[in-house]
Amino acid sequence: MPKRHRVDNAGEDEEKVEGGNGVVRLVHDDRLGARVAIKTHKHHDEDGLSADCVREIVLLQHLKGHHPHIVSMEELLVRDGVPSLLMPCAYRPLDEYIGYPMEDESVQCVHDHLVRATRHLHAHGIVHRDVK
């Protein structure tokens, strides 16, 4: 099981993105001295965990360090009894590339990273429904 910490030192949200399963806050963590992503699942039971959250924790722990283009979970955070996953912040979200001209080499590089990461997931029996 990952380390558990209380989140008291995360700075103000730099950005907040809401998806189908949860909310991701991008913040500067003073303790780590870095920008991080904190994902909180929308649906959780009285214990604070949902089946989706447990499944994601197990998969991320299983895959940790296996592939450079698959984000890892560094810590399991708890705030007001609700668990959140702390992950390194990706250099640049994929949606920031969409709609802007890119050099052919950059397009190929992003494509190759996505294909390699997806292939790695599939080789481990995982189908990701929300690649970003």
Side-chain angles (χ1 to χ4, degrees), residues 64-87:
K64 187 172 183 169
H66 285 213
H67 197 279
H69 303 298
I70 297 176
V71 70
S72 62
M73 181 184 73
E74 298 301 320
E75 297 177 29
L76 177 62
L77 309 170
V78 180
R79 177 182 260 172
D80 298 327
V82 178
S84 298
L85 289 63
L86 183 135
M87 302 176 224

Short mmCIF file of all heavy atoms in Angstrom, two decimals, residues 64-87:
data_model
loop_
_atom_site.label_atom_id
_atom_site.label_comp_id
_atom_site.label_asym_id
_atom_site.label_seq_id
_atom_site.Cartn_x
_atom_site.Cartn_y
_atom_site.Cartn_z
N LYS A 64 3.97 0.87 -11.28
CA LYS A 64 4.91 1.92 -10.86
C LYS A 64 6.33 1.61 -11.33
O LYS A 64 6.88 0.55 -11.07
CB LYS A 64 4.90 2.09 -9.35
CG LYS A 64 5.73 3.27 -8.90
CD LYS A 64 5.55 3.56 -7.44
CE LYS A 64 6.35 4.81 -7.10
NZ LYS A 64 6.03 5.29 -5.77
N GLY A 65 6.88 2.56 -12.06
CA GLY A 65 8.26 2.45 -12.52
C GLY A 65 8.46 1.55 -13.72
O GLY A 65 9.58 1.37 -14.18
N HIS A 66 7.38 0.99 -14.26
CA HIS A 66 7.50 0.06 -15.38
C HIS A 66 7.64 0.75 -16.73
O HIS A 66 8.16 0.16 -17.66
CB HIS A 66 6.28 -0.87 -15.46
CG HIS A 66 6.30 -1.95 -14.42
ND1 HIS A 66 5.78 -3.18 -14.64
CD2 HIS A 66 6.78 -1.99 -13.16
CE1 HIS A 66 5.93 -3.93 -13.57
NE2 HIS A 66 6.52 -3.22 -12.66
N HIS A 67 7.15 1.97 -16.83
CA HIS A 67 7.17 2.64 -18.13
C HIS A 67 7.31 4.14 -17.94
O HIS A 67 6.59 4.73 -17.13
CB HIS A 67 5.91 2.31 -18.93
CG HIS A 67 6.04 2.61 -20.38
ND1 HIS A 67 5.89 3.87 -20.89
CD2 HIS A 67 6.34 1.81 -21.43
CE1 HIS A 67 6.08 3.85 -22.18
NE2 HIS A 67 6.37 2.59 -22.54
N PRO A 68 8.19 4.79 -18.69
CA PRO A 68 8.43 6.23 -18.49
C PRO A 68 7.26 7.13 -18.89
O PRO A 68 7.20 8.29 -18.48
CB PRO A 68 9.65 6.52 -19.37
CG PRO A 68 9.65 5.45 -20.40
CD PRO A 68 9.07 4.24 -19.73
N HIS A 69 6.30 6.61 -19.66
CA HIS A 69 5.20 7.45 -20.12
C HIS A 69 3.87 7.09 -19.46
O HIS A 69 2.81 7.44 -19.96
CB HIS A 69 5.10 7.41 -21.64
CG HIS A 69 6.38 7.83 -22.29
ND1 HIS A 69 6.92 9.08 -22.13
CD2 HIS A 69 7.26 7.15 -23.04
CE1 HIS A 69 8.06 9.16 -22.78
NE2 HIS A 69 8.29 7.99 -23.34
N ILE A 70 3.95 6.38 -18.34
CA ILE A 70 2.77 6.09 -17.54
C ILE A 70 3.00 6.73 -16.18
O ILE A 70 3.98 6.44 -15.50
CB ILE A 70 2.53 4.57 -17.40
CG1 ILE A 70 2.26 3.96 -18.78
CG2 ILE A 70 1.37 4.30 -16.44
CD1 ILE A 70 2.11 2.46 -18.77
N VAL A 71 2.08 7.61 -15.81
CA VAL A 71 2.23 8.36 -14.57
C VAL A 71 2.15 7.39 -13.38
O VAL A 71 1.46 6.39 -13.41
CB VAL A 71 1.16 9.47 -14.46
CG1 VAL A 71 -0.22 8.89 -14.25
CG2 VAL A 71 1.51 10.46 -13.37
N SER A 72 2.90 7.70 -12.34
CA SER A 72 2.89 6.86 -11.15
C SER A 72 2.14 7.57 -10.02
O SER A 72 1.99 8.78 -10.03
CB SER A 72 4.33 6.57 -10.70
OG SER A 72 4.98 7.78 -10.36
N MET A 73 1.68 6.79 -9.08
CA MET A 73 1.08 7.37 -7.88
C MET A 73 2.15 7.39 -6.81
O MET A 73 2.72 6.34 -6.48
CB MET A 73 -0.12 6.55 -7.41
CG MET A 73 -0.77 7.15 -6.18
SD MET A 73 -2.11 6.17 -5.53
CE MET A 73 -1.21 4.82 -4.82
N GLU A 74 2.43 8.55 -6.28
CA GLU A 74 3.49 8.67 -5.28
C GLU A 74 2.97 8.45 -3.87
O GLU A 74 3.67 7.88 -3.05
CB GLU A 74 4.15 10.05 -5.38
CG GLU A 74 4.81 10.30 -6.73
CD GLU A 74 5.89 9.28 -7.05
OE1 GLU A 74 6.65 8.89 -6.15
OE2 GLU A 74 5.97 8.87 -8.21
N GLU A 75 1.77 8.95 -3.60
CA GLU A 75 1.24 8.85 -2.25
C GLU A 75 -0.28 8.77 -2.28
O GLU A 75 -0.91 9.25 -3.22
CB GLU A 75 1.63 10.07 -1.40
CG GLU A 75 3.11 10.23 -1.19
CD GLU A 75 3.44 11.49 -0.41
OE1 GLU A 75 2.62 11.93 0.40
OE2 GLU A 75 4.53 12.02 -0.63
N LEU A 76 -0.83 8.18 -1.25
CA LEU A 76 -2.27 8.21 -1.02
C LEU A 76 -2.50 9.25 0.06
O LEU A 76 -1.98 9.13 1.17
CB LEU A 76 -2.77 6.83 -0.56
CG LEU A 76 -4.25 6.74 -0.22
CD1 LEU A 76 -5.11 7.07 -1.44
CD2 LEU A 76 -4.58 5.37 0.31
N LEU A 77 -3.23 10.29 -0.28
CA LEU A 77 -3.48 11.39 0.65
C LEU A 77 -4.87 11.27 1.24
O LEU A 77 -5.77 10.73 0.61
CB LEU A 77 -3.38 12.72 -0.09
CG LEU A 77 -2.13 12.93 -0.92
CD1 LEU A 77 -2.27 14.18 -1.78
CD2 LEU A 77 -0.92 13.05 -0.03
N VAL A 78 -5.05 11.77 2.44
CA VAL A 78 -6.36 11.74 3.08
C VAL A 78 -6.68 13.14 3.60
O VAL A 78 -5.89 13.73 4.33
CB VAL A 78 -6.39 10.74 4.25
CG1 VAL A 78 -7.77 10.72 4.89
CG2 VAL A 78 -6.00 9.35 3.78
N ARG A 79 -7.83 13.67 3.18
CA ARG A 79 -8.28 14.98 3.65
C ARG A 79 -9.76 14.82 4.01
O ARG A 79 -10.56 14.44 3.16
CB ARG A 79 -8.10 16.05 2.58
CG ARG A 79 -8.62 17.41 3.03
CD ARG A 79 -8.46 18.45 1.95
NE ARG A 79 -7.29 19.24 2.26
CZ ARG A 79 -6.78 20.15 1.45
NH1 ARG A 79 -7.30 20.35 0.28
NH2 ARG A 79 -5.73 20.85 1.81
N ASP A 80 -10.08 15.12 5.25
CA ASP A 80 -11.46 14.99 5.75
C ASP A 80 -12.01 13.59 5.48
O ASP A 80 -13.18 13.43 5.13
CB ASP A 80 -12.36 16.05 5.13
CG ASP A 80 -11.93 17.46 5.48
OD1 ASP A 80 -11.41 17.65 6.60
OD2 ASP A 80 -12.11 18.36 4.64
N GLY A 81 -11.16 12.58 5.60
CA GLY A 81 -11.58 11.20 5.42
C GLY A 81 -11.72 10.76 3.97
O GLY A 81 -12.08 9.62 3.71
N VAL A 82 -11.45 11.66 3.03
CA VAL A 82 -11.59 11.33 1.61
C VAL A 82 -10.19 11.12 1.01
O VAL A 82 -9.33 11.99 1.11
CB VAL A 82 -12.32 12.46 0.85
CG1 VAL A 82 -12.42 12.15 -0.62
CG2 VAL A 82 -13.71 12.68 1.45
N PRO A 83 -9.97 9.95 0.39
CA PRO A 83 -8.65 9.68 -0.19
C PRO A 83 -8.46 10.38 -1.53
O PRO A 83 -9.40 10.58 -2.29
CB PRO A 83 -8.67 8.16 -0.39
CG PRO A 83 -10.11 7.83 -0.58
CD PRO A 83 -10.88 8.83 0.25
N SER A 84 -7.22 10.76 -1.77
CA SER A 84 -6.83 11.34 -3.06
C SER A 84 -5.49 10.74 -3.44
O SER A 84 -4.71 10.34 -2.59
CB SER A 84 -6.70 12.85 -2.96
OG SER A 84 -7.92 13.45 -2.62
N LEU A 85 -5.22 10.70 -4.73
CA LEU A 85 -3.97 10.15 -5.24
C LEU A 85 -3.05 11.29 -5.64
O LEU A 85 -3.44 12.15 -6.42
CB LEU A 85 -4.25 9.27 -6.46
CG LEU A 85 -4.94 7.93 -6.23
CD1 LEU A 85 -6.34 8.11 -5.69
CD2 LEU A 85 -4.99 7.15 -7.51
N LEU A 86 -1.85 11.31 -5.09
CA LEU A 86 -0.86 12.32 -5.44
C LEU A 86 0.05 11.75 -6.51
O LEU A 86 0.61 10.66 -6.34
CB LEU A 86 -0.04 12.74 -4.23
CG LEU A 86 0.95 13.85 -4.52
CD1 LEU A 86 0.90 14.90 -3.43
CD2 LEU A 86 2.36 13.32 -4.67
N MET A 87 0.16 12.46 -7.63
CA MET A 87 0.96 12.00 -8.75
C MET A 87 1.85 13.14 -9.24
O MET A 87 1.49 14.31 -9.08
CB MET A 87 0.05 11.56 -9.89
CG MET A 87 -0.91 10.48 -9.53
SD MET A 87 -2.00 10.13 -10.93
CE MET A 87 -3.55 10.03 -10.10
#
